[in-house]
């Protein structure tokens, strides 16, 4: 439990911004800092210890299976993972965070769990982080609201569903994944992509992504998606 963590390190780490903590091999919390305890809704951040994501007083329990699948993937692969999380928290407000999950290893270099850290994203942060992630990955975001921008001096308007498809495309998601998240068919997603290509005058999906990133769409989370829980693994 917490006794396994050096108290001097805890003192240093607890001064860092953002929320962080660690879990054991069964995804049971071993520690969580005060910032995480605050957003997850426990009376004291140490109340997280001994609980799982299923046991928290927060609507995020809806995504607990995804959180634990991510933990297993991090421990199995030995590689860190970045996750975009959009959830309502204990106070009822919706927030977007970028979480990094890393294998937690002991002195014998054996994986004993996961370490997670997260920062809340502002529009500017999403632009900086999202654009960097997509570039680093080698990738060149039912009422219909519209968003407008000036592209080569031409107005381009995209509706709510198109903005959702574009958002997920920018974060490296394939049509099959997008279809599952949006609860539509793969064919419907592909049609939205074709429509977006026409609106952006893009010759390919890669060019569409390039144009959208260059125009700052990486900084925009569609408002409709801030009403739907989402935990998306991002490409490095």
């Amino acid at each position: 439990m917490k006794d396994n963590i050096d108290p001097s390190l805890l003192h240093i780490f607890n001064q860092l911004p953002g929320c962080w903590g660690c879990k054991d091999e069964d995804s049971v919390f071993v520690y969580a800092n005060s910032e995480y305890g605050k957003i997850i809704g426990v009376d004291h951040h140490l109340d997280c210890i001994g609980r799982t994501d299923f046991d928290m007083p927060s609507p995020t329990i809806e995504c607990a299976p995804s959180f634990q699948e991510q933990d297993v993937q991090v421990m199995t692969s030995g590689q860190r993972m970045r996750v975009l999380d959009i959830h309502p928290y204990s106070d009822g407000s919706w927030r977007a965070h970028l979480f990094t999950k890393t294998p937690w290893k002991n002195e014998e270099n054996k994986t004993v769990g996961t370490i997670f850290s997260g920062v809340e994203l502002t529009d500017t942060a999403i632009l900086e982080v999202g654009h960097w992630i997509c570039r680093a990955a080698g990738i060149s975001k039912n009422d219909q609201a519209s968003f407008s921008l000036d592209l080569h001096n031409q107005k381009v308007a995209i509706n709510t569903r198109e903005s959702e498809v574009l958002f997920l495309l920018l974060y490296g998601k394939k049509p099959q994944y997008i279809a599952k998240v949006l609860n539509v068919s793969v064919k419907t997603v592909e049609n939205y992509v074709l429509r977006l290509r026409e609106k952006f005058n893009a010759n390919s999906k890669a060019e569409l992504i390039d144009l959208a990133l260059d125009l700052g769409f990486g900084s925009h989370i569609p408002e409709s998606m801030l009403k739907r829980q989402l935990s998306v693994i991002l490409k490095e």
Side-chain angles (χ1 to χ4, degrees), residues 175-184 186 189:
Q176 291 80 1
Y177 180 92
I178 297 173
K180 180 179 178 181
V181 169
L182 300 182
N183 195 29
V184 298
V186 174
V189 172

Side-chain angles (χ1 to χ4, degrees), residues 70-223:
Q70 293 162 8
D71 293 342
V72 170
Q73 186 173 335
V74 168
M75 289 185 288
T76 302
S77 68
Q79 302 294 319
R80 72 174 182 173
M81 173 188 295
R82 281 195 173 93
V83 181
L84 175 66
D85 276 315
I86 302 174
H87 306 287
Y89 285 89
S90 59
D91 61 0
S93 64
W94 285 77
R95 296 184 176 92
H97 286 83
L98 179 68
F99 275 94
T100 300
K101 296 188 174 185
T102 307
W104 178 18
K105 298 187 177 183
N106 62 15
E107 294 179 353
E108 288 76 38
N109 204 37
K110 177 185 176 182
T111 299
V112 294
T114 57
I115 299 171
F116 66 87
S117 60
V119 292
E120 187 169 358
L121 297 179
T122 63
D123 282 351
T124 300
I126 297 170
L127 172 61
E128 295 170 350
V129 174
H131 199 284
W132 178 82
I133 290 172
C134 291
R135 291 295 189 187
I139 303 177
S140 243
K141 162 177 194 150
N142 290 320
D143 292 329
Q144 298 297 300
S146 293
F147 306 89
S148 296
L149 66 152
D150 188 6
L151 177 61
H152 303 308
N153 298 319
Q154 295 182 12
K155 291 292 183 180
V156 177
I158 60 176
N159 63 38
T160 300
R161 185 46 59 89
E162 289 167 346
S163 72
E164 293 171 345
V165 171
L166 181 58
F167 171 77
L168 291 168
L169 279 177
L170 294 187
Y171 283 92
K173 300 296 107 179
K174 296 184 181 300
Q176 291 80 1
Y177 180 92
I178 297 173
K180 180 179 178 181
V181 169
L182 300 182
N183 195 29
V184 298
S185 69
V186 174
K187 182 64 176 177
T188 297
V189 172
E190 292 172 344
N191 287 337
Y192 277 120
V193 173
L194 287 174
R195 195 178 306 170
L196 285 164
R197 283 176 52 189
E198 291 175 0
K199 290 187 174 184
F200 281 79
N201 195 27
N203 294 317
S204 65
K205 185 169 70 173
E207 186 176 350
L208 167 64
I209 291 171
D210 271 342
L211 290 169
L213 286 174
D214 290 341
L215 287 166
F217 269 82
S219 68
H220 174 66
I221 295 180
E223 186 176 348

Side-chain angles (χ1 to χ4, degrees), residues 15-38:
Q15 298 178 63
L16 298 175
C19 47
W20 72 273
C22 49
K23 306 176 191 175
D24 66 16
E25 292 176 286
D26 298 315
S27 289
V28 176
F29 280 78
V30 175
Y31 188 77
N33 73 341
S34 58
E35 181 64 23
Y36 186 80
K38 180 179 178 181

